[in-house]
Amino acid sequence: MLDDRKLAVLRAIVEDYVSTNEPVGSKALAERHNLKVSPATVRNDMAALEEEGYITQPHTSAGRVPTDKGYRLFVDRLSQVKPLSSAERRAIETFLAGAVDLDDVVMRTVRLLAQLTRQVAVVQYPTLTRSTVRHVELVPLSERRVMLVLITNTGRVEQRVIELPEVVEDQRIAHLRAVLNACLDGCGLSTVPDRVADLPERLPVEDRPAVATILSVLLETLVERHDEKLVFAGAANLAGADFATGLRDVLEALEEQVVLMRLLGETSTDTPSALTVRIGSENPYLRGTSVVATGYGSGDNQLARLGVLGPTRMDYPVTMGAVRAVARYVSQILAAS
């Protein structure tokens, strides 16, 4: 382990390099930071940090820049994540509170994160497999057509128009709606098939063809929506970024959502609300980038993850504070809805 003085030097190198994007020299460190030691001592400490792999010299006669190992220690030893100002917190709360549905919440969240961090923001939709049924609605459209509306506890809404095998009066549709809600209210979506397996047999013979058709469409909807879905924003922020892997690889990863899913998946922990930072080589699918992510949901029930992706030369205290704050507000909105 490094002593406190060398940690202070490393912290100063990271802060200066993130701020200036220029290799940092010992003279500049001594002038800019109150390290309370001579430039010669700073040089010795930098030599020790370089020997242990925390910083490196990009070219001859240049200053030093942090390595992935240096960033890792910097993040692990952060005394505090930079809190958002009261104005920023109010702006987040107001902006997200104006959302009208889940799609709006997700789109507002990803735009907000990109603006706050100046990185690429990624937000995963709450997956249906982790959701429960809040309500099932059957809306008659004509004598033989109804609209099935499935509403989950996360605010997700799925709609399907169903052609019934026979004419069904509105009164019978209302009865089927009541039966479905009594059967499925609060039911986890992954357990819906078992819940409804014997439902047709429990209904009058004349209702069985209609309910069998409705259940078939309902189950097809659940199967179709088992895939993960995410959105990202802030790709323009990559224009001035420096990536060890090259900008092309990062842009291709944004288009290939499987890679983003894997990156977010790698940040999952046993504690849903824990903030995870994966730096450089710790990201096996996209080396040279850093990912800061956390889960969001209701209570201990993590519904999905959100975070940002950017170069390893990232303002970690600001980014971590923004990701944590936005996730907290999104969780509150979903819980309140």
Side-chain angles (χ1 to χ4, degrees):
M1 293 297 295
L2 300 180
D3 59 40
D4 289 344
R5 193 183 69 211
K6 290 187 180 65
L7 282 172
V9 172
L10 176 62
R11 188 179 302 113
I13 291 171
V14 171
E15 290 173 353
D16 278 11
Y17 182 59
V18 168
S19 174
T20 66
N21 196 20
E22 295 290 340
V24 183
S26 57
K27 182 180 178 182
L29 281 183
E31 291 174 350
R32 294 174 187 164
H33 299 269
N34 184 24
L35 297 174
K36 298 178 181 178
V37 292
S38 67
T41 302
V42 172
R43 280 195 297 275
N44 290 336
D45 287 342
M46 290 177 70
L49 289 169
E50 185 172 10
E51 186 176 346
E52 296 186 46
Y54 293 105
I55 59 176
T56 187
Q57 187 175 21
H59 7 86
T60 313
S61 74
R64 307 299 192 272
V65 299
T67 61
D68 289 355
K69 183 179 178 182
Y71 283 122
R72 176 80 270 164
L73 184 62
F74 172 79
V75 169
D76 290 344
R77 297 298 292 269
L78 272 179
S79 57
Q80 66 176 11
V81 173
K82 184 178 179 181
L84 299 181
S85 68
S86 56
E88 287 174 322
R89 291 197 300 272
R90 284 195 302 272
I92 292 174
E93 190 170 9
T94 302
F95 185 65
L96 294 181
V100 296
D101 56 23
L102 180 64
D103 288 330
D104 199 12
V105 169
V106 171
M107 294 308 299
R108 285 171 181 250
T109 299
V110 77
R111 296 204 318 265
L112 184 64
L113 259 183
Q115 291 169 4
L116 288 172
T117 64
R118 299 298 177 190
Q119 308 291 350
V120 176
V122 183
V123 178
Q124 179 186 14
Y125 267 79
T127 58
L128 280 177
T129 50
R130 296 175 186 165
S131 305
T132 60
V133 177
R134 173 176 288 177
H135 185 69
V136 178
E137 186 62 51
L138 293 175
V139 182
L141 301 177
S142 66
E143 289 184 336
R144 293 185 56 177
R145 297 179 76 204
V146 297
M147 177 180 287
L148 169 70
V149 183
L150 172 67
I151 304 173
T152 73
N153 65 318
T154 60
R156 195 160 178 173
V157 178
E158 300 291 332
Q159 301 181 59
R160 292 290 185 278
V161 175
I162 304 173
E163 296 286 343
L164 298 176
E166 60 188 14
V167 175
V168 181
E169 297 84 1
D170 289 357
Q171 186 176 356
R172 288 170 61 196
I173 292 293
H175 174 65
L176 292 177
R177 179 194 308 124
V179 170
L180 281 172
N181 279 294
C183 178
L184 298 178
D185 182 39
C187 173
L189 297 193
S190 59
T191 64
V192 166
D194 292 336
R195 280 284 189 96
V196 301
D198 63 343
L199 185 58
E201 283 71 33
R202 290 188 270 144
L203 294 171
V205 175
E206 63 269 22
D207 287 338
R208 291 178 184 175
V211 79
T213 302
I214 291 170
L215 291 179
S216 175
V217 173
L218 173 62
L219 296 179
E220 285 176 8
T221 300
L222 297 182
V223 170
E224 289 173 4
R225 298 296 175 168
H226 276 183
D227 60 317
E228 305 281 355
K229 181 182 177 184
L230 55 77
V231 294
F232 67 88
N237 292 329
L238 299 175
D242 48 328
F243 288 99
T245 55
L247 183 57
R248 177 183 293 274
D249 292 337
V250 178
L251 292 174
E252 287 178 352
L254 293 179
E255 292 181 4
E256 182 56 65
Q257 295 212 350
V258 172
V259 175
L260 290 183
M261 279 296 177
R262 287 175 176 170
L263 286 172
L264 281 183
E266 291 286 335
T267 66
S268 296
T269 66
D270 293 334
T271 306
S273 60
L275 196 66
T276 307
V277 182
R278 300 294 295 268
I279 299 170
S281 56
E282 297 170 359
N283 291 314
Y285 308 108
L286 200 59
R287 296 174 181 272
T289 65
S290 287
V291 178
V292 179
T294 189
Y296 70 90
S298 180
D300 292 331
N301 181 27
Q302 177 182 303
L303 299 173
R305 296 186 69 74
L306 60 79
V308 300
L309 175 150
T312 53
R313 191 182 69 83
M314 177 186 293
D315 191 334
Y316 291 98
V318 168
T319 302
M320 292 163 68
V323 168
R324 187 169 64 183
V326 170
R328 185 168 62 246
Y329 281 113
V330 174
S331 297
Q332 290 172 358
I333 288 171
L334 292 180
S337 66

